[in-house]
Structures are given as C-alpha cells and as structure tokens.
Amino acid sequence: MPPPADIVKVAIEWPGAFPKLMEIDQKKPLSAIIKEVCEGWSLGNHENFALQIADATNFYITEKNRNDIKNGSILRLTTSPYQTAVQLHERIQSSSMDAKLEALKDLANASRDITFAQEFINLDGISLLTQMVESGTERYQKLQKIMKPCFGDLLSFTLTAFVELMDHGIVSWDTFSVAFIKKIASYVNKSAMDTAVLQRSLAILESMVLNSQDLYHKVAQEITIGQLIPHLQGTDQDIQTYTIAVINALFLKAPEEKRQTLLMTDCFSICLLLALSAFPKFLLFLSLVSLEIQFNEEMAHQLYVLQVLNFNLLEDRMMTKMDPQDQAQRDIIFELRRIAFDAECEPNNSGSIEKRKSMYTRDYKKLGFINHVNPAVDFTQIPPGMLALDNMLYFARHHQDAYVRIVLENSSREDKHECPFGRSSIELTKMLCEILKVGELPSENCHDFHPMFFTHDRSFEEFFCTCIQLLNKTWKEMRATSEDFNKVMQVVREQIMRALTLKPNSLDQFKSRLQNLSYTEILKIRQSERMNQEDFQSRPILELREKIQPEIMELIKQQRLNRLCEGTCFRKISSRRRQDKFWYCRLSPNHKVLHYGDLEESPQGEVPHDSLQDKLPVADIKAVITGKDCPHMKEKGALKQNKEVLELAFSVLYESDEYLNFIAPDKHEYCVWTDGLNALLGKEMTSEYTKSDMDTLLSMEMKLRLLDLENIQIPEAPPPIPKEPSNYDFVYDCN
C-alpha cells in the first residue's frame, strides 16, 4: 500500500551526530516538526532552531515552501533565521579583521535566502552594511598596502551581501545616501581596483539607475561614460558585460535630449570603437558561428540592447511629419536642389516668380519627388517622416559625388526608366527602420546585434548611403521602369537581409557582401530555391513523401527524447537578470522519470544523476501547458517587457494539480522540450522546429532516394500494364 500523500520521508542532519531518517507529516505545523526533531537530539528551546535544505543553497524551510520537500530529501537542523541574523549582525562588527572577514563571507552566502534576508533587514542590517562601506572601511585603508588581499576580500564580501539582500526587493533603492553613491562610484572610477569589488560596484550602480529616477541623477553626477570606457578595454569579460549594462542603464533613464548627446557624439563612438577593438575573440565569433557557445551571451545581449537604444533615438524623427509651412525645413529641400544642380542654378532674384517656380518644379521632378510643386508634402507620411529627409541631406553633404551622379544620371534617362531619388529615399528609409526595428523595446532574451553599427558615429546614415547606392545599381541591373518600383524594393530588401545575415564586422565589409549579391545572383538564388520546391510537386513524388514521412517523424521524436535524456539547464527568473539561479532537468534513459534539482550556477559539463534529488514519474504527467496559461506566467503575462519570457514558458501538470514550471533558455530548447514532453504523452509534436526539421530531413531523404533518377523525367501517371501473353510456355516449371 503506498504511503499517504502528506507523508514525506527525509534524512535530517545535525553537526556531530548521525543523520536521522524521519517521516514528516505535512499536515502538522512546521514548529511541531522542528520540536520533534530537537527532542530527538535532546535539544531545548526548539524555537531557536529551523530546518534547511542540505545543499549549496542552504535555503530555510518555511510554511510557504515546505511543500517543495520531496521524498529522499536531505535536511539540516540549524539555528533559526532570526538567531543566525543576530549572530552575524554582531560578528560583522567585530574588531578582529579575520573574524569580520569570516562573518561577512557567511553573510554573503546566507543573504541569498529570502527568509534570512528578511530577518537581517529587520535588524537594520542594510544600514549597517552601507555605513561600513561609507566610513567603516576607511579605518583599514591605512593598512591596505600591507593587507591588500584581506582588504579587497572584506569589501568584496560586504558588497556581495548588500547585492544579495537588495535582490529580494524588500528595501527600496531610494533610501540610500549620496555618500554611499559617491563611495560606490569611487570604486568604479579607480584605475586599479579588485575585480570582485569592481564587479559588485557596477552591479549596484546599474540597479540604482534602473530602479530610481532620482538615483539616476545622483549616479550620473558621479560617473561618466568616459570613466566607464576603460573597463571595456580589459580582459575580464564579466567586467566588460557589467560595464555595458551600466552604460545601457544610463542611456535608458537619461532624458531624451541627453540620450542624443551621449549616443551621437564622435567622442563616445570613437571610445566605443576602441573598446570593441579589444575583443579579437568576439570579432572572430561574429565571423564563425561555431564559436557561439564559447562566447558570453550576456555580453552579446548588452551590446544588442545598446544597439536598440541607439536606433530608438531615430524614432522621434521617424514619427515627425514635415510642416510644409516651416521655412527651416523647406530650406533643407532647397539645399538638396542646390547641391545637385549647383552649376545650373540661377540667382534667386533672377527672372520672374513664374519662371523660378517652373525651374524649381523641373528640378524637383529630376530629384524624384512625387509632388513636384511642393516636395514637402512627400515627407508628411509617417514613418519615415523627417528621418528620410535627414538621410537625404546627409548623403548629399557627405557623399556629394555619389549623390550628384545618381541624380544627374537618372534625370538624363527617359521618364519611365529613371530611378526617382526622392521617392526611393523615402521608401528605403521606411524599409531600413522596419529591418532594424526602430522604436521597438529590447527583447529580454535576444543577443543578435550587428558590430558594423558600432564602427561609425553616424552608422544609420552611412547604412542608408550604402543602401541607396545599392538601390540605384539594382534598378539599372533590372532595367526597371516606374511600374517596377515595388519589385525593385523587394529585391533590395532581400539583398540587404542576406548581407546582414552574414554578420559583417564593418560597413566596408557590408558593401563587399552586397557586391556578391547582384540582381543576377539573387535571380540564381531564387531559381535554385524554386527548383528545389518544384522538383517535389509531382504526384509520384508526393506519394513517396507520404510514405517516408512517418519514418522521419519517428526519427525526430527519438532525437527529441535523446535531447531530454541529455538534460537542460533552466533559469529561475529573478529581479536581477545576471543574479538568476539555475536548475537542471533531464529524462531518464528508460523514458519513465524526469530527474531535476537546483544548481548554484550554469553547468559547464554533464550534471551527474545523483545531484538531481527530485523525481517526477512520466506516468503522473497529465498535460503540458504553454505561454500565458502557465501558473508562473499569469501575473507577468500582461507586461509588455515579459512577452519574450511568455514565449519561452511552459509547465508540466501532474497529480494533485501540481505544476513543474519551466522557462526555456531559448526558442530551440523550448521547442525541444515541449515536443519531447508531448511525445512522451503520445501527443503530436507541433513546434515550428519540428516542421523545419521535417522539411529538411524529408528533402534530404527524397534527394537520396531519387539520386539514381537524376535527369530522368518522372511521369505524372504510372505506365500502362501490358496485355497478358497468349501462352505461358516460357515459364519454367521447377517440379
């Protein structure tokens, strides 16, 4: 007879004694269970004791999380969170450096548990730590030269404990003094600082800026972008990552006018360019996708966020209509006309008004505007609004020869064959904004960025200049007419997208990629793709596909289950992205049990089975739930910034309406696990990766089976069955 569901069998440790095997009744109050354990070891004052998970986390068992205890768990009897907090509160004020250091180390470890953190904060522990940072450590700075390692560790553990305590969201960031901010900023501004101290200080500054607008102003007064840039030129990738995170936070919270100053100055772009040049391995990664696993994804994410913030500065101009009555804006159009037709221009006061209007109308037509009389009307469409005019003016001023050549070259063609520069620039600007997703919020899990946009202080404008010349070249190659405008734009989009997919490291490399993507090459690529599709549309081929498809689906199923047997490390989302905890889950080789357990950090290799204490029989799984229906997503699902997390969330429903909640590290792992779990339940695998794998494997298998029929036309209908012979004398009778 199986044991009652409320009874959990565990082992309980106590220092200096043999562990005890006990049955815990989950219906009893936790205090009664602790009292029973204490009496077993003849310990009085049971209210001063508590139970912990006996692993690296040392999390306390409370009424809220006691249901997480599973059969076979190992617990530890220890002092209560309050008693531990009181002891550590006293120990960290010790006059002995060694005792203080050991106490701060214990505090940094204990502070990860929210139960302990609450008790320590109630003792005004946060204030004590900030006072130690502001003034307490100054007592030891005279000894820093002879005790430098000890001093660095002392400060490092102090800041680590502070970060862990604040990570729980119990105390508001608005409560900290200017003196504390100055002290943290001073650690970042020092050229030679302990790596651990620098890392914690950067993390604190980032949290301050992101969590309080008032603190942003105080931090911005103490630290500048120029002071952060040197940290990017070191060799420690964690420091580089935290530094870019602080830069991103400063940009994100800065007023709009200050963002423009920060991101659009030559000084910042040159500094960032110099910083990026310190990443030879990083640049190699961009060229060789195979190095992706070795690269710090958080670094790529922060650079992606920086890229998004940079491009989002264009949103205001993109969504601003031109005012046809604004003389300053109209002067920009006059400037475009002057640069293009400078030799032909007459003085403004020459001729009659009608003659000048006629001349302007003629020139605006040559410039390719839709409205020849009043080109300002062309820029009232949003997007791209005034951003298109900004791009045109930049091109005319900084690439004057190319601009004049394009305009004059097209104005000398027949009307139907000219490539309208004005209309093309407007539509191209709109297209580039769509490709680069200008105005969209950064994705939480994306690290797809383009290094070429960090190599120039006016990267978007230079990108436009390259693409407008590509458009004119493609127009000539296609021998297009005005009716073909949309077709040309489609080809140009394909050329740009294919070139960006190759991840060029610079704008020059992007141009060379485009050289290999001429209209003729695009036609060849399209033809090849079309032929690959058409070859498999005849009826005999379709019948063969249907016959092979179940075999391929079974192969995909086995691959998914094999991946589940290898296991995956999942992230427990917390308020601080890089302070996340991890847990691991894998399927047993016999496909009958899910093994899972918590981890201190993301594993570098295979996680042994014995470290995964928790089990879930596959037979107990009732359903797999995805997206916003997951219990751990119901509160977060409405938030826009959690859209990407929603797309990676899934839960396993098992007996007693309990859930095992997952947030996949990426879309691929999400598809692998949802497919594998559905396969275990005998349900259909419906993910987009299953469709992609099916198409790829089916196409390969079809080509292999049809290899002997190459250059042989397969008839649509089977050949006719021949008539029966008049006799069967040719048959040899073996009898």
Side-chain angles (χ1 to χ4, degrees), residues 24-58:
I24 293 180
D25 187 351
Q26 294 284 37
K27 292 181 180 179
K28 286 185 177 180
L30 189 59
S31 58
I33 296 172
I34 295 172
K35 181 179 180 181
E36 182 181 344
V37 174
C38 290
E39 289 174 350
W41 274 305
S42 301
L43 299 174
N45 299 324
H46 68 276
E47 62 274 4
N48 293 334
F49 293 91
L51 292 175
Q52 279 181 330
I53 298 291
D55 58 14
T57 62
N58 293 328

Side-chain angles (χ1 to χ4, degrees), residues 14 30-31 34 38 43-52 58-62 76-89 110 113 115-120 123:
W14 172 251
L30 189 59
S31 58
I34 295 172
C38 290
L43 299 174
N45 299 324
H46 68 276
E47 62 274 4
N48 293 334
F49 293 91
L51 292 175
Q52 279 181 330
N58 293 328
F59 285 170
Y60 282 97
I61 302 298
T62 64
R76 181 186 299 117
L77 184 66
T78 185
T79 54
S80 67
Y82 173 75
Q83 291 294 326
T84 304
V86 170
Q87 292 170 10
L88 285 175
H89 194 274
D113 181 57
T115 308
F116 167 83
Q118 184 68 67
E119 297 293 347
F120 189 78
L123 294 172

Side-chain angles (χ1 to χ4, degrees), residues 176-190 201-202 205 208-209 214-228 231 246 250 258:
F176 299 106
S177 66
V178 174
F180 179 72
I181 298 172
K182 286 179 178 291
K183 182 64 70 173
I184 297 298
S186 70
Y187 298 145
V188 174
N189 292 334
K190 286 182 180 178
S201 300
L202 289 168
L205 290 179
M208 284 181 173
V209 172
D214 182 52
L215 284 181
Y216 156 74
H217 294 291
K218 294 177 181 177
V219 171
Q221 291 175 358
E222 301 300 326
I223 195 162
T224 64
I225 300 298
Q227 292 167 320
L228 291 171
H231 298 310
V246 176
L250 289 171
K258 191 167 184 179

Side-chain angles (χ1 to χ4, degrees), residues 339 395-407 469:
I339 296 173
F395 182 49
R397 286 178 173 174
H398 294 82
H399 300 270
Q400 186 169 335
D401 291 342
Y403 167 70
V404 173
R405 185 180 67 252
I406 287 176
V407 173
Q469 294 177 73

Side-chain angles (χ1 to χ4, degrees), residues 345-380:
C345 284
E346 300 178 9
N348 289 336
N349 57 359
S350 64
S352 63
I353 296 177
E354 290 76 13
K355 183 178 179 181
R356 288 203 302 270
K357 285 184 178 180
S358 175
M359 181 178 62
Y360 290 164
T361 300
R362 179 199 66 193
D363 291 346
Y364 291 149
K365 183 179 180 181
K366 290 180 180 180
L367 281 170
F369 291 113
I370 298 174
N371 192 313
H372 306 154
V373 177
N374 186 7
V377 177
D378 290 8
F379 299 97
T380 56

Side-chain angles (χ1 to χ4, degrees), residues 88 178 291 305 308 315 339 374 393 395 426 548 561 666 704:
L88 285 175
V178 174
L291 293 180
V305 172
V308 171
E315 184 180 12
I339 296 173
N374 186 7
L393 183 62
F395 182 49
I426 293 170
I548 298 174
L561 294 178
D666 52 49
L704 287 172

Side-chain angles (χ1 to χ4, degrees), residues 419 424 427-429 431-432 435 463-464 466-478 480 484-500 510 514 517-519 522 526:
C419 177
S424 298
E427 292 300 321
L428 179 64
T429 301
M431 179 198 297
L432 298 183
I435 292 174
F463 185 46
F464 168 84
T466 300
C467 293
I468 192 65
Q469 294 177 73
L470 168 71
L471 191 153
N472 188 64
K473 175 175 171 284
T474 303
W475 184 283
K476 290 188 290 184
E477 291 173 349
M478 294 178 65
D484 300 322
F485 185 86
N486 291 333
K487 293 180 182 179
V488 175
M489 296 303 295
Q490 290 173 4
V491 173
V492 170
R493 175 186 281 269
E494 186 172 348
Q495 290 171 312
I496 295 171
M497 293 298 292
R498 289 185 184 274
L500 288 177
F510 175 69
L514 292 176
L517 288 169
S518 63
Y519 175 59
I522 292 294
R526 288 181 174 180

